[in-house]
Amino acid sequence: HRDGAFRWVLARGLAVRDADGRAIRMAGSQSDITAGKVVDPLTGLSNRVLLIDRIERVIEHHRRRSGAQFAVLFLDLDGFKAVNDSLGHETGDRLLVELVPRIRRCLRASDTCARLGGDEFIVVLDDIGDERSAVDVAERIQDQVGSLDCVDGCEVRISASIGIVIADASYDRVEDILRDADVAMYRAKTAGRARHEIFDVGMRQPPDERLALEGALARALDQDRLSVVYQPIVSLPSGRLLGFEALARWHDPERGMLLPEEFVPVAEESDLIARVDRRVLREACRQLQAWREAIPAAGPLGVSVNVSRRYLESGHLPHDVRRCLARTGLRGSDLELEIAESMLAAEAPAMEAAFGEVGRLGVRVAIDDFGTGGCPLARLARLPVASLKIHRSFVGDLDAGSGSEDIVGVIVALARSMGVAVIAEGVETPLQRSRLHALGCDRAQGYLISRPMPPEGIPDVIVGHGRRLQLTT
Ligand code: C2E
Ligand code: CA
Ligand code: CA
């Protein structure tokens, strides 16, 4: 293709003959069948590429015949993760395969069924008389899914939550249809599963992308699609590796890789953030212990985990921490919890109680983004704090000489008087590092030392950090 991509082409040719039967020329065609090549290998259904192409055609078709409607059903299984977890992925896969003829049974030949990935399916009903007929199909599919009670000789219990978009020519982008169907599906799910909901524009407020993102994140948590990256923290005078900050990452099949800035604000509006935090806490503890077992040099390293206000106030944190420590055999002092200073701006007894409890487990608490949050000093002095993390904006300004040297100096002096450590985050240049060192900062973290890395990269850092990371000033 002119754009550099390769396409699959079906080449057909035949001889054109004259009246005497002599071949006089070749006639042929080249058909682009790239889309036809793209099926889901597990189920043989269309995959996303083919689906999008299909919906585009349906939109085009309906544009020419005004008034006609079609429907898109977004189907997500309930209870699929439990099957995968308890019976294994192979059984999970077989379940998906067995669902295909059951779903197909509810469709006409002209309808399309596609698998988006995981346990998500899309059904396109080409022409529907009215809303009711789309609902009928959804209900038949739900009956079919619910009646699958045995896979590989094992008992299973699943159901389907379905979001329905009744679409007409007013939709001209496939993404909009899929997004609305996703929003409706999420509604069905949160309304108690095994239900269907018809999308209406009212569901778009509050802002639809937020809701869709929230739904997608909830599913990512269900399906364990959140991962953790680790950013080294080093001692500033010696360059010695001290540990890592664990940072959440989310790989979404549609949206690609999402950074916390994109999903943490959304997650913070619901209890999802506590699930994110718990997931990262568990995974970071498990991972640190695994490194310790595999690499002797990892022995003294610790891990820092970010904790949100909701998680801290939920009351679950101390219990979760206790369990993580018990499971992994880590000591409380191997773990540091990072709490943003802004969370401490207002009086919060539930939070202070949680602080006290984790403090008794020996877990250290770091005040994150220090200098931006407005925590009264009297409150700060009351809390069992082990370190202050200087927000990266102050570190960034150290190059410019815009007065942040004074701020960093004040934070270091405060930390000294409280007897706690100071960590500078966002260290990007050697100049920043040497100024921080001169100002008495104890530890550093930032791109200069290392970017956050997936766990596979960390053993090399642990083993070779003295040599590989040129850290000393
Ligand atoms: P944070 O706790 O201040 O984390 C440090 C952020 O600074 C990370 O961004 C890190 O990648 C970035 N960073 C590190 N070194 C440098 C540098 O040299 N220069 C610059 N410009 N940036 C640097 P990330 O991973 O995108 O995380 C952003 C924020 O999201 C975090 O800020 C934290 O507040 C929040 N977050 C991340 N993971 C979690 C989590 O599991 N739970 C909660 N509640 N919040 C999280
Ligand atoms: Ca942090
Ligand atoms: Ca920070």
Side-chain angles (χ1 to χ4, degrees):
H1 191 278
R2 186 167 45 196
D3 70 12
F6 286 85
R7 315 281 301 177
W8 285 92
V9 169
L10 173 66
R12 277 176 293 202
L14 56 92
V16 178
R17 296 171 195 278
D18 66 11
D20 301 326
R22 278 179 310 203
I24 51 170
R25 61 195 168 86
M26 296 282 292
S29 65
Q30 308 282 340
S31 311
D32 184 341
I33 56 159
T34 310
K37 275 283 181 193
V38 263
V39 295
D40 175 52
L42 177 67
T43 58
L45 294 171
S46 311
N47 71 2
R48 173 181 295 274
V49 177
L50 190 50
L51 172 73
I52 289 173
D53 183 64
R54 172 75 191 145
I55 299 179
E56 272 168 1
R57 278 170 217 241
V58 175
I59 293 174
E60 188 51 42
H61 174 74
H62 281 79
R63 193 169 291 137
R64 282 185 262 110
R65 296 174 51 225
S66 62
Q69 293 184 317
F70 62 100
V72 173
L73 275 50
F74 195 122
L75 185 159
D76 185 287
L77 299 182
D78 314 313
F80 180 68
K81 186 179 185 302
V83 171
N84 254 342
D85 288 350
S86 59
L87 304 176
H89 285 276
E90 279 181 20
T91 305
D93 282 356
R94 194 119 54 240
L95 183 150
L96 295 175
V97 171
E98 291 200 12
L99 281 179
V100 172
R102 288 169 180 263
I103 297 174
R104 279 246 165 87
R105 211 171 285 162
C106 310
L107 309 178
R108 297 163 304 179
S110 57
D111 299 333
T112 303
C113 182
R115 176 165 174 242
L116 274 196
D119 57 351
E120 295 175 347
F121 296 86
I122 297 282
V123 167
V124 184
L125 305 176
D126 203 1
D127 255 309
I128 52 162
D130 56 14
E131 202 172 282
R132 186 64 230 171
S133 53
V135 171
D136 283 343
V137 175
E139 287 173 353
R140 281 206 297 278
I141 292 177
Q142 281 171 324
D143 287 345
Q144 286 288 331
V145 172
S147 68
L148 176 62
D149 52 9
C150 173
V151 176
D152 279 353
C154 302
E155 198 179 312
V156 296
R157 274 182 66 97
I158 49 161
S159 55
S161 295
I162 301 181
I164 304 172
V165 169
I166 308 292
D168 52 28
S170 68
Y171 275 105
D172 52 11
R173 294 182 346 151
V174 178
E175 310 93 272
D176 294 343
I177 298 182
L178 290 180
R179 184 205 53 213
D180 288 351
D182 189 4
V183 169
M185 187 284 294
Y186 183 57
R187 278 293 170 101
K189 205 153 257 231
T190 49
R193 306 179 153 208
R195 287 162 185 259
H196 50 74
E197 287 282 342
I198 298 181
F199 177 81
D200 77 81
V201 285
M203 291 184 185
R204 280 205 199 126
Q205 311 147 351
D208 47 38
E209 173 55 12
R210 214 211 78 215
L211 248 190
L213 206 64
E214 203 180 296
L217 179 59
R219 261 171 285 138
L221 283 159
D222 286 344
Q223 297 169 1
D224 231 9
R225 270 191 270 128
L226 236 60
S227 60
V228 182
V229 294
Y230 298 86
Q231 186 172 35
I233 301 174
V234 298
S235 154
L236 203 45
S238 71
R240 198 163 55 81
L241 182 66
L242 299 173
F244 310 96
E245 177 173 0
L247 296 157
R249 293 292 180 267
W250 170 21
H251 300 270
D252 182 71
E254 258 171 75
R255 299 171 177 84
M257 167 94 135
L258 287 127
L259 291 170
E261 67 187 31
E262 293 165 275
F263 65 88
V264 165
V266 173
E268 276 174 341
E269 289 183 32
S270 68
D271 286 334
L272 287 175
I273 190 65
R275 294 180 62 195
V276 171
D277 289 351
R278 174 185 287 144
R279 163 90 180 87
V280 173
L281 170 68
R282 285 190 187 156
E283 178 55 23
C285 289
R286 187 202 65 73
Q287 184 65 74
L288 180 64
Q289 179 56 23
W291 286 327
R292 286 189 167 185
E293 275 168 18
I295 314 162
L301 302 178
V303 72
S304 306
V305 173
N306 293 286
V307 171
S308 65
R309 174 199 303 272
R310 275 186 191 257
Y311 192 30
L312 198 54
E313 286 180 343
S314 73
H316 295 302
L317 176 70
H319 172 255
D320 289 347
V321 167
R322 227 176 275 123
R323 270 185 59 176
C324 285
L325 297 179
R327 261 191 210 166
T328 55
L330 293 175
R331 282 172 310 162
S333 55
D334 297 328
L335 183 62
E336 187 156 283
L337 299 178
E338 298 193 359
I339 286 146
E341 190 199 355
S342 56
M343 285 165 54
L344 302 168
E347 200 75 49
M351 226 168 348
E352 289 189 26
F355 264 112
E357 278 197 64
V358 293
R360 281 191 287 281
L361 297 171
V363 173
R364 288 166 303 146
V365 171
I367 305 300
D368 205 355
D369 302 337
F370 193 76
T372 64
C375 171
L377 290 183
R379 187 168 305 142
L380 191 64
R382 257 203 329 266
L383 297 169
V385 172
S387 44
L388 304 180
K389 287 191 93 165
I390 303 178
H391 189 257
R392 53 188 174 277
S393 61
F394 300 124
V395 175
D397 286 347
L398 282 178
D399 278 337
S402 58
S404 74
E405 223 149 320
D406 296 340
I407 299 172
V408 172
V410 168
I411 297 176
V412 171
L414 176 65
R416 289 282 167 278
S417 74
M418 294 169 64
V420 306
V422 187
I423 307 167
E425 64 174 29
V427 182
E428 294 181 350
T429 67
L431 181 62
Q432 289 165 3
R433 184 185 55 197
S434 56
R435 293 211 163 139
L436 286 163
H437 180 46
L439 286 163
C441 190
D442 307 291
R443 302 181 208 158
Q445 172 186 359
Y447 296 166
L448 176 69
I449 296 137
S450 167
R451 296 219 165 219
M453 288 201 274
E456 304 81 73
I458 295 296
D460 272 355
V461 176
I462 296 175
V463 173
H465 76 274
R467 179 166 32 88
R468 292 159 72 84
L469 308 173
Q470 291 301 307
L471 306 165
T472 35
T473 34

